[in-house]
Amino acid sequence: MTDSLHTSPPTAHHDRPFARDTGRWEKERSRAWRTGHIRDDTCSAACEPVLVHEHTGWGFLAWTVPADGSSPANPHLVTVLAPSATRTQRLALRWLTRRPARLITADARPGSPRLSACAVAVISLLIGLIAISRGFPVSVALPAMLLAPLAVEYLPDRLDARARERVRTVEGAAACRYLQRLGALHTVLVQAAARSERYELRRSAEIGHTLLWDTADLLQTQDTRSASAYLITRERLMVQLVHQVTQILRHTTEDGPAGADPDSSPGRPTDPHPRATRPATAPAPHHAPNPSQQKGILPMCHPEPSHARTLDVYLLFAHDPYYPAPAREINTTVVAAASLLHPRVRQPDGARIHDRLVRGRRPGEIVPLSTLTHELDGGARWPEVGDWEAVTDDLLQLIRDHDCDALTLGLPAIARALVCAGPHSEVRTVDPTTEGHRVYGPADRIEVLVEVGRHLAWAEAGSPLWPGTGLLAPLA
C-alpha cells in the first residue's frame, strides 16, 4: 500500500470560485469591480474587501476579488449550516449573504447611519406629513414616522444575530484551506446522494455534514496547530466516506462488473507494492535479541497483535531515497505503530520505541521520528530506548519484502526537511538570485502532516495498514 504526495487525492470541487460555472464567476467579478471596493496594494488593513458568496448544499464560501484579475485560491471565510436545517434556517443563511447596506459617510466609521435608513426616514416623513394633512391621527402617524427608519437601521443586526445561531463561520487562511478541502469531499457525498435513493448514500451525506459542522465549531475556538490531530482524524473519516460512496456507485452502475476489485476504485492511487500475502506462521527474527536485555522485559512467545492495533497510531520516518519505478522517488514512509512489534524488527528496541510512540497519543495521530527525538531531550536519551537507525532499516526491509503495509511518500525537499526537524524548529531557505529568504515553521510542519494524513486516509480507505503477523506483546 503506497502513495506519493506528488499525486493528491482528487478534490475538484471548490478549488476555485464557481469551479463548475466559470461564467458566473466572471459575472460576479465584473459586478464587484463596478459596485464594490477591490482590495489592492494601496489599501490599509481597515479596508473591507467586497466578497462574492458561493452557495453550497452545506453553507457558503466567501471569495475576495483580487485586483490583478486572477481567481483566488482560497476563500476569505467559510460558513457551515447546521445539519438537518429547516427551510427558515436556510433562508436565514441566504440573508447573511445579502449585499451589505452602504453608509452615508465615505470613511464608513462604526455608528454611521445606513443610506437605506436615511432614505426610509425621508420617505416616511413625506408620507406622514401627507397623511396628517388629510386627517390621519397624529398619535399614529408620528410613531410610524419615527419607527420606520429605526427598524431599517437596527432590525438587520438583530436578524444577523439570529441567523448566526445556526451557522458556524471560520476565518483565517489555514482554517479556511482545511474546510475548503473538507467541503470539496463532502460535495462528492451530496451529489452522490442526490443521484440515488439509497439509504447508504443519504446517510453518508448526513455524516459528512455533521463532520463539517463539528470541524467548523472546533476551528472557531482553536487554531489548526493546536487541533491538528483532530483535524487529521476528521479528514481521514471524510476520505473514507468518499471512497465507500465511490464503491457503491461503481457497483450499482449497469455496465459495471459485478465482482470488481474494491481496491481499483476510480481516483484511488494505484499500488506498485501490492499488499503482502499474510503468512500462516511468523517469520524468523531478523535480529537476534540480546538475552540479557529481553529478560523480564519483553515476552517473546505470546503475540498480541490485536492489542497493539487498537492504539491506531502511526510512525513517520525519512530515509535514504530509493526508486521502485523510473522517476519515482520514495524518501519517507508511514507505518502502523504495531509494525514496531514485528519479530523481524530489532528487539527489544522496536518494542521500546513503540512504547514511546503510543504514549499519550490521540487515535489516528501521525508521529514523526523527529518528534520522538525532540521528546528524548533532542536525542540524548535515544540510547536508553533503542537503536532507531537499525529499527527503521528493518522496517524498510519488511516493507520491501511485503511483510507489512506502509504508505510510501516522495516528499518535496522543504516538506521532508520539516518532518525531519523538531516540532518547534524552523527551516530557512535562501533564493540565490534575489538573496531573499523564507522561514518555514511549526505551522508549515503541521500542514505537511495534515497532507500526509489525507494520503493515509485515502490509502487506508476500506482496509487499515496491516502491521504484519506474529507481532510481539507491547511493553507493560
Side-chain angles (χ1 to χ4, degrees), residues 67 121 213 397:
W213 171 262
Q397 191 60 48

Side-chain angles (χ1 to χ4, degrees), residues 22 32 120 125 151 193 221 229 289 325 329 360 383 391-392 408 429 445 462:
T22 55
V120 169
L125 177 62
T221 57
E329 177 184 318
V391 168
T392 54
T408 57
T429 60
R445 185 177 188 263

Side-chain angles (χ1 to χ4, degrees), residues 341-385:
L341 303 174
H342 200 285
R344 284 184 56 191
V345 173
R346 183 185 184 94
Q347 300 295 350
D349 303 54
R352 288 172 175 163
I353 295 175
H354 173 272
D355 181 60
R356 292 291 314 186
L357 181 70
V358 302
R359 189 181 302 174
R361 312 295 179 188
R362 301 184 183 94
E365 187 170 354
I366 300 173
V367 185
L369 187 66
S370 60
T371 298
L372 295 182
T373 300
H374 169 77
E375 294 172 352
L376 294 170
D377 297 338
R381 292 169 49 205
W382 265 123
E384 302 173 13
V385 179

Side-chain angles (χ1 to χ4, degrees), residues 188-416:
V188 177
L189 304 179
V190 173
Q191 292 181 348
R195 294 196 302 264
S196 174
E197 295 296 328
R198 293 192 58 167
Y199 169 78
E200 298 92 332
L201 300 182
R202 296 199 309 273
R203 183 57 181 162
S204 296
E206 293 171 1
I207 295 173
H209 196 158
T210 302
L211 281 174
L212 266 178
W213 171 262
D214 292 342
T215 304
D217 190 59
L218 176 68
L219 289 174
Q220 283 192 323
T221 57
Q222 299 185 43
D223 56 18
T224 54
R225 179 178 178 180
S226 60
S228 60
Y230 297 105
L231 299 181
I232 291 172
T233 301
R234 282 171 169 80
E235 192 159 3
R236 290 180 59 207
L237 291 174
M238 190 71 84
V239 172
Q240 289 173 357
L241 283 173
V242 171
H243 177 73
Q244 292 169 4
V245 166
T246 305
Q247 293 289 80
I248 293 173
L249 291 176
R250 186 168 65 88
H251 287 297
T252 53
T253 53
E254 295 179 355
D255 56 348
D261 181 8
D263 288 335
S264 60
S265 62
R268 183 171 181 180
T270 56
D271 191 355
H273 295 289
R275 184 182 296 272
T277 303
R278 307 184 183 188
T281 58
H286 185 63
H287 286 285
N290 187 334
S292 63
Q293 290 180 325
Q294 78 175 32
K295 183 178 179 180
I297 297 178
L298 185 65
M300 303 292 291
C301 56
H302 300 288
E304 295 181 9
S306 59
H307 182 200
R309 283 307 308 278
T310 58
L311 298 171
D312 197 24
V313 177
Y314 303 88
L315 173 67
L316 180 149
F317 60 95
H319 47 77
D320 291 335
Y322 63 92
Y323 301 86
R328 174 176 168 81
E329 177 184 318
I330 300 299
N331 55 32
T332 309
T333 298
V334 179
V335 295
S339 294
L340 291 164
L341 303 174
H342 200 285
R344 284 184 56 191
V345 173
R346 183 185 184 94
Q347 300 295 350
D349 303 54
R352 288 172 175 163
I353 295 175
H354 173 272
D355 181 60
R356 292 291 314 186
L357 181 70
V358 302
R359 189 181 302 174
R361 312 295 179 188
R362 301 184 183 94
E365 187 170 354
I366 300 173
V367 185
L369 187 66
S370 60
T371 298
L372 295 182
T373 300
H374 169 77
E375 294 172 352
L376 294 170
D377 297 338
R381 292 169 49 205
W382 265 123
E384 302 173 13
V385 179
D387 188 346
W388 63 267
E389 291 181 300
V391 168
T392 54
D393 287 343
D394 291 346
L395 286 173
L396 284 176
Q397 191 60 48
L398 276 179
I399 295 163
R400 303 190 75 168
D401 292 342
H402 309 303
D403 285 335
C404 75
D405 283 346
L407 175 69
T408 57
L409 305 167
L411 290 182
I414 298 299
R416 188 169 184 267

